[in-house]
Amino acid sequence: MEETMVIIVGAGPAGLATSACLNRLSIPNIVLEREDCYASLWKKRSYDRLKLHLAKQFCHLPYMDFPPNAPTYVPKNGFIDYLDNYVSHFGITPRYLRSVESVIYDSDAEKWQIVVKNMTTTDNVIETEVYTSRFLVVASGENSQGTIPDIDGLDSYGGEYIHSNQYENGRKFRGKDVLVVGCGNSGMEIAYDLWNWGANTSIVVRNPVHVLTKEMVKMAMIMLQYLPRKAVDKITVAISKLKYGKLSKYGIQRPKKGPFHLKETSGRSPVIDVGTISKIKSEEIKVLPGMKSIGDKDIVFTNGETVQFDAIIFATGFKSTVRNWLKGSYESFDEKGMPRKSLPYHWEGRNGIYNVGFSRRGLQGRSPVIDVGTISKIKSGEIKVLPGMECIKDNEVVFTNGATVQFDAIVFATGYKSTVRNWLKGSYESFDEKGMPKRSFPYHWKGGNGIYNAGFSRRGLRGISSDAQNIANDIYINITADLS
C-alpha cells in the first residue's frame, strides 16, 4: 500500500494541468493513467488533420503559453509537442498502464482507497496495487469512452464500422461509399477529410446545429469581453447567415437559441466549418436524416430512403466511465458519470473529491468592464490609477509601490459574497425540481471533505486551466491549515 496526499485519475490535459499546479505548490501527487502515454486521446485516438478549434491564446494550460511562433490554430502535432514540453517543464511523472478498478472513501481513516491493476508486468501477470490519499482528483474526463448508438441491425452490418476515435485519415476509404454519423465538429471535419481522400461521403444530420468559421468564433470570443452574450449571439448568427445563407434547404437546421447560449447552458459547441458546407451545397457530400435500421450493407433512414454503404464512422461522442470505478460516491456523479452539481458548486464533492471543468459556463468566465467614460478621465489624468493597498495609517494609505497618499474617504467596490452558509445547515446536496443545485457563488466548485474531479467542464482547455489552479490552491490551503 502506498500513501500520498493527492491521487489524480487520468493523464489527459486536465490531469496534467492539475499535477503541474500541485507540483508548483510542492504538494505530493500521483497521476494514474490506464494507457501507456499521457494525452492518449490526442496521441492515439485523434485524426491527422485535427487542429485546436479555438485560437491559441484561449487554449494554453496553466503557467505556460504556446510559443510565439506557434500558429493561431495549433495543429494536433503542435499541441502534442506543447504537452511534451509542459510535462517536462513541470516534472509530471504519470504511472502508466494503471487501470483504476475501484475507489472508496474510508470514513474512519478519512482517506480515499484506490485499487489499481498494474498492467506493466511481464508474463501476462497483472498485479494489484493499493493507494491511499486524502484528496482525489477525477481527471478521467467526459471523453473517457467512445459511444455508438444502439441501431437495429448494426451487429449484422456487412461493412466496416468504427468510432471516430479510431479514425486517422481517409486513405483506406478511397472510392468507397462511407457514411459519417454525427454532425459535430469531428463528424463534419471527418466528412470533409473523407471527401479529400476520394471517398463517396454522406453525413447524418439529426439535430439543429450552428455553423461558424474559426474567424467568427475568435471575433465572438473577443466581443464577449465587452458585450453581453445575447448581443454576441445575435451578431454571430447574423454573420453566419450572411456567410452560409439558408442551410435548411441542404438538410441543416439552425437552433433557435444562440451558439454561445447553448455552449454555456448545455455544453454544445457550434460547428467550426473547415470546408464541409461548400461540399454539402455542391452535393459532393450528401446530408441524410437519422438512421432507422441496418440490413447487411443497406441502411434505412427515417425519411424512408434506403442507401448502401461500405463503411460507417460514428462521430457520436463519448461518455464518462467514472461510475465504473468510483464506489459509494453517487451523490457526486449522476448515472451518466457527470457531476450532479453545476455552477457554482461544480468542482468539489464530499470527502475530498474534486472535479475540473464541469461549470458549463461557456467560453468566457469573466464579466467585462463596460466603459462609461472612466477611461478618458484616466487618460487625461483626472482619475489616478494606483496599485494594491498595503496598509492604512490614520487617513494615509500606503500602496504596494511605496507611495503614500492621504484620502478623506475610501469606497470599496470589492464585490460580494454568498450568504448560503448562513442558512444551509448540514446539507450539501440541495437541488431544485430540475435537478440543478440551488447554491451559488463563491463555492462554485467545492463541496466538502476533499473530493475533486477534472476534465469534464465542456469549456475546453481554458476551463481546465482555471479549475486545475483552483483545485491545487484549495488543496494547498487545506494542507497548510492542518499543519498550523
Side-chain angles (χ1 to χ4, degrees):
M1 182 180 294
E2 184 173 354
E3 184 171 348
T4 190
M5 187 62 68
V6 186
I7 289 289
I8 301 170
V9 180
L16 299 178
T18 304
S19 181
C21 292
L22 291 169
N23 288 347
R24 288 184 79 253
L25 296 169
S26 300
I27 296 173
N29 65 91
I30 295 174
V31 183
L32 301 174
E33 169 57 49
R34 69 183 178 185
E35 300 289 341
D36 60 1
C37 63
Y38 53 82
S40 62
L41 270 178
W42 283 89
K43 291 188 173 184
K44 299 169 67 174
R45 295 196 291 276
S46 60
Y47 44 94
D48 293 345
R49 65 173 292 122
L50 178 64
K51 293 182 179 180
L52 293 178
H53 290 135
L54 300 179
K56 63 182 179 181
Q57 63 263 40
F58 302 111
C59 295
H60 64 81
L61 297 183
Y63 308 111
M64 182 181 283
D65 293 339
F66 284 96
N69 62 347
T72 302
Y73 299 93
V74 180
K76 168 185 171 179
N77 289 337
F79 185 60
I80 290 172
D81 289 342
Y82 168 80
L83 290 177
D84 290 342
N85 292 330
Y86 192 84
V87 167
S88 175
H89 179 77
F90 289 105
I92 304 167
T93 55
R95 298 189 183 183
Y96 301 116
L97 296 172
R98 262 52 173 213
S99 175
V100 175
E101 299 300 302
S102 68
V103 177
I104 192 165
Y105 184 69
D106 185 338
S107 56
D108 292 331
E110 296 185 341
K111 291 180 180 179
W112 291 91
Q113 186 176 88
I114 302 96
V115 178
V116 176
K117 282 186 178 178
N118 182 352
M119 299 176 288
T120 64
T121 54
T122 57
D123 301 326
N124 296 320
V125 176
I126 298 177
E127 295 182 355
T128 298
E129 299 174 342
V130 179
Y131 299 84
T132 61
S133 65
R134 180 179 168 189
F135 300 100
L136 175 69
V137 179
V138 181
S140 53
E142 59 182 323
N143 297 333
S144 185
Q145 181 177 316
T147 60
I148 293 178
D150 185 16
I151 301 171
D152 183 30
L154 180 60
D155 290 342
S156 58
Y157 175 59
E160 176 187 2
Y161 73 89
I162 60 173
H163 190 271
S164 59
N165 64 10
Q166 298 171 275
Y167 179 85
E168 295 181 358
N169 57 59
R171 186 189 305 273
K172 71 175 182 177
F173 298 105
R174 188 189 303 272
K176 294 185 178 181
D177 298 315
V178 184
L179 177 67
V180 179
V181 182
C183 60
N185 278 299
S186 293
M188 286 288 198
E189 191 160 357
I190 288 172
Y192 184 75
D193 191 58
L194 286 164
W195 175 86
N196 271 326
W197 283 99
N200 303 313
T201 309
S202 299
I203 185 169
V204 169
V205 178
R206 295 173 295 172
N207 301 314
V209 62
H210 285 288
V211 179
L212 310 175
T213 66
K214 61 180 183 290
E215 291 79 15
M216 291 179 198
V217 174
K218 183 179 180 181
M219 177 193 70
M221 292 187 70
I222 294 171
M223 287 194 296
L224 283 167
Q225 300 177 48
Y226 305 100
L227 298 173
R229 184 194 65 207
K230 187 175 181 179
V232 175
D233 272 340
K234 286 184 177 179
I235 294 169
T236 305
V237 170
I239 295 172
S240 177
K241 287 179 179 179
L242 285 173
K243 167 73 174 176
Y244 294 110
K246 192 173 183 180
L247 291 175
S248 58
K249 62 183 179 181
Y250 303 103
I252 301 172
Q253 304 294 328
R254 281 191 179 92
K256 294 181 179 179
K257 300 292 185 180
F260 298 100
H261 170 86
L262 290 175
K263 179 64 180 174
E264 181 171 333
T265 58
S266 70
R268 290 172 54 195
S269 297
V271 167
I272 300 177
D273 181 38
V274 295
T276 313
I277 299 301
S278 66
K279 301 306 173 187
I280 289 173
K281 288 182 174 181
S282 65
E283 298 184 350
E284 294 170 270
I285 295 176
K286 185 177 181 181
V287 172
L288 291 164
M291 300 167 67
K292 186 174 182 180
S293 63
I294 298 174
D296 193 26
K297 288 189 176 182
D298 291 331
I299 298 177
V300 181
F301 294 90
T302 53
N303 63 354
E305 187 175 358
T306 299
V307 185
Q308 191 173 87
F309 289 95
D310 300 307
I312 307 172
I313 298 169
F314 286 95
T316 44
F318 297 82
K319 66 179 181 180
S320 164
T321 59
V322 66
R323 286 285 291 258
N324 295 352
W325 49 265
L326 185 61
K327 310 298 182 183
S329 289
Y330 300 138
E331 74 276 7
S332 298
F333 294 88
D334 63 20
E335 65 281 353
K336 294 181 179 179
M338 298 295 291
R340 295 183 185 275
K341 301 179 186 179
S342 59
L343 184 72
Y345 290 92
H346 68 283
W347 60 273
E348 185 177 7
R350 302 182 66 181
N351 303 323
I353 187 168
Y354 293 73
N355 58 85
V356 170
F358 286 86
S359 69
R360 301 184 181 181
R361 294 178 65 193
L363 298 173
Q364 298 289 335
R366 296 168 50 194
S367 297
V369 173
I370 309 298
D371 180 36
V372 294
T374 311
I375 299 301
S376 66
K377 300 304 179 186
I378 290 173
K379 288 181 176 180
S380 67
E382 295 170 85
I383 295 177
K384 187 176 181 181
V385 176
L386 291 164
M389 298 166 63
E390 187 169 280
C391 64
I392 300 173
K393 298 176 181 179
D394 194 20
N395 62 346
E396 291 183 337
V397 180
V398 181
F399 294 90
T400 54
N401 64 353
T404 298
V405 186
Q406 191 175 80
F407 292 94
D408 298 313
I410 303 174
V411 179
F412 286 96
T414 47
Y416 297 83
K417 68 177 181 180
S418 168
T419 60
V420 66
R421 293 282 181 164
N422 296 348
W423 51 264
L424 187 61
K425 309 296 183 183
S427 173
Y428 294 94
E429 306 299 327
S430 181
F431 296 89
D432 61 20
E433 65 282 357
K434 295 182 179 180
M436 297 297 290
K438 296 180 180 179
R439 296 171 284 186
S440 61
F441 187 81
Y443 298 99
H444 64 286
W445 44 263
K446 185 174 184 179
N449 299 327
I451 187 167
Y452 301 71
N453 47 87
F456 296 80
S457 68
R458 300 181 179 177
R459 294 168 59 202
L461 296 167
R462 197 174 192 184
I464 285 171
S465 296
S466 173
D467 288 347
Q469 291 174 78
N470 286 335
I471 286 173
N473 291 334
D474 192 75
I475 291 174
Y476 177 78
I477 290 168
N478 278 286
I479 294 169
T480 304
D482 284 349
L483 293 175
S484 61

